[in-house]
Amino acid sequence: MKTIAELIQRAKTLSAEKGRVRIAVAAAQDEEVLVAVDAARKDGLADAILVGDRALIGAIAKEHGIDLSNYQIVDEADVVRAAALAVDYVRRGDAAFVMKGILDTSVLLKAVLNKETGLNAGRLVSHVGVAESPNYHKLFLMTDAAINIAPSLQEKVDIIKNAVDCARALGIASPKVALLAAVEKVNPDKMPCTMDAAILTQMNRRGQIKDCIIDGPLALDNAISAESARIKKIDSPVAGDADILVAPDIEAGNILYKAVIDLGGARGAGLVMGAGAPVVLTSRADTAETKHASIALAVLVAFSQKSETLPKLR
């Protein structure tokens, strides 16, 4: 896929073929979220269960001409309880995935990762962003911009696996993974992330990390520019054609993601991967368009993971 529009169309096609799924929206009294959810329903992507403050949901719906008769509404003003209820709908199979409304990320993830009542799948969760940039020849993924602060080597394995699962849901059979650093050479003393990158690359070559092609360390220009790699004499199956950009830590990942979207003019979508179901986790500052695209991405991932068991409405 080269565009977010293609991503959305693929999700719409699957929903038409397999039946629309439900989203459980936690703390749904958010203007951009409700607009995005209503657009997704009208597009045939998904229906929704709105868990949140009924009065506030009603006021927003009235302002935007949203017909709430199309939705199941669960009145719960407390955001902690709203998060738990939304997660429980997914756990019981009444919804396919959770979407963040107007609540802190930590509150939602605490409900998602609760070992007794949540969607904990025994793998580290991580944020995966998908971007359509006017300066790149295809969609690409970025991770982790939102959750893991300074991931260890083993945690990076899970972060890569989560991103690969997301990429495969987009139809990329063997995604090319670039492990980013400031330089292309291993410097274990001053830049330990370069050592991690070298180890992860070797693990991939030995089959310990499957379904992808990994190379690193690579600087960002080498990962996305074949000409840059040629000039620096970097012989790599990933350089210039990366599908996934893996940042060394949350600072680099967050800055990369926001620079691509806010300065680079890219369109984006974002999910949390690694739980028992995808979690639509976007910033409060994200537009309804980004949230709508994130719903479409979650639909693709959900169908990819559980295509035969998803709850269907029609």
Side-chain angles (χ1 to χ4, degrees), residues 157 160-161 164-165 168 173-175 177 200 203-214:
V157 172
I160 292 168
K161 288 180 178 178
V164 168
D165 286 349
R168 287 169 64 84
S174 184
V177 181
L200 291 164
M203 290 173 69
N204 173 244
R205 291 173 181 172
R206 292 184 174 183
Q208 292 173 264
I209 306 174
K210 302 181 184 298
D211 300 321
C212 60
I213 302 167
I214 299 176

Side-chain angles (χ1 to χ4, degrees), residues 91-258:
R91 183 180 175 89
R92 291 183 300 171
D94 294 325
F97 55 90
V98 182
M99 182 171 184
K100 176 189 171 186
I102 190 162
L103 75 169
D104 289 342
T105 295
S106 60
V107 173
L108 181 58
L109 289 182
K110 185 175 181 179
V112 169
L113 298 177
N114 187 296
K115 292 183 179 180
E116 296 181 358
T117 61
L119 305 171
N120 194 317
R123 181 192 286 187
L124 184 79
V125 297
S126 54
H127 182 270
V128 180
V130 177
E132 172 197 337
S133 170
N135 302 309
Y136 201 56
H137 58 280
K138 59 182 176 180
L139 291 179
F140 64 96
L141 291 75
M142 298 171 282
T143 191
D144 175 356
I147 297 178
N148 297 288
I149 296 172
S152 66
L153 179 70
Q154 186 55 50
E155 287 172 336
K156 288 178 182 178
V157 172
D158 278 349
I159 288 170
I160 292 168
K161 288 180 178 178
N162 289 341
V164 168
D165 286 349
C166 188
R168 287 169 64 84
L170 295 177
I172 308 170
S174 184
K176 297 177 181 180
V177 181
L179 303 176
L180 299 182
V183 295
E184 303 80 37
K185 295 181 180 179
V186 176
N187 186 339
D189 295 327
K190 295 185 178 180
M191 294 184 178
C193 71
T194 61
M195 178 63 79
D196 283 356
I199 294 170
L200 291 164
T201 299
Q202 189 63 21
M203 290 173 69
N204 173 244
R205 291 173 181 172
R206 292 184 174 183
Q208 292 173 264
I209 306 174
K210 302 181 184 298
D211 300 321
C212 60
I213 302 167
I214 299 176
D215 198 18
L218 289 172
L220 177 61
D221 55 344
N222 307 321
I224 62 172
S225 168
E227 179 64 10
S228 175
R230 184 191 67 77
I231 291 170
K232 293 187 177 181
K233 296 182 173 55
I234 298 171
D235 182 14
S236 165
V238 175
D241 194 39
D243 296 297
I244 300 171
L245 304 176
V246 180
D249 55 36
I250 198 170
E251 284 94 346
N254 191 274
I255 292 168
L256 171 65
Y257 182 83
K258 290 178 179 177

Side-chain angles (χ1 to χ4, degrees), residues 29-45:
Q29 60 273 14
D30 178 273
E31 183 175 6
E32 299 290 348
V33 167
L34 286 177
V35 169
V37 166
D38 199 53
R41 184 193 63 78
K42 290 176 179 176
D43 269 359
L45 281 173

Side-chain angles (χ1 to χ4, degrees), residues 255-273:
I255 292 168
L256 171 65
Y257 182 83
K258 290 178 179 177
V260 166
I261 301 298
D262 296 333
L263 288 177
R267 299 180 66 196
L271 288 181
V272 169
M273 298 286 296

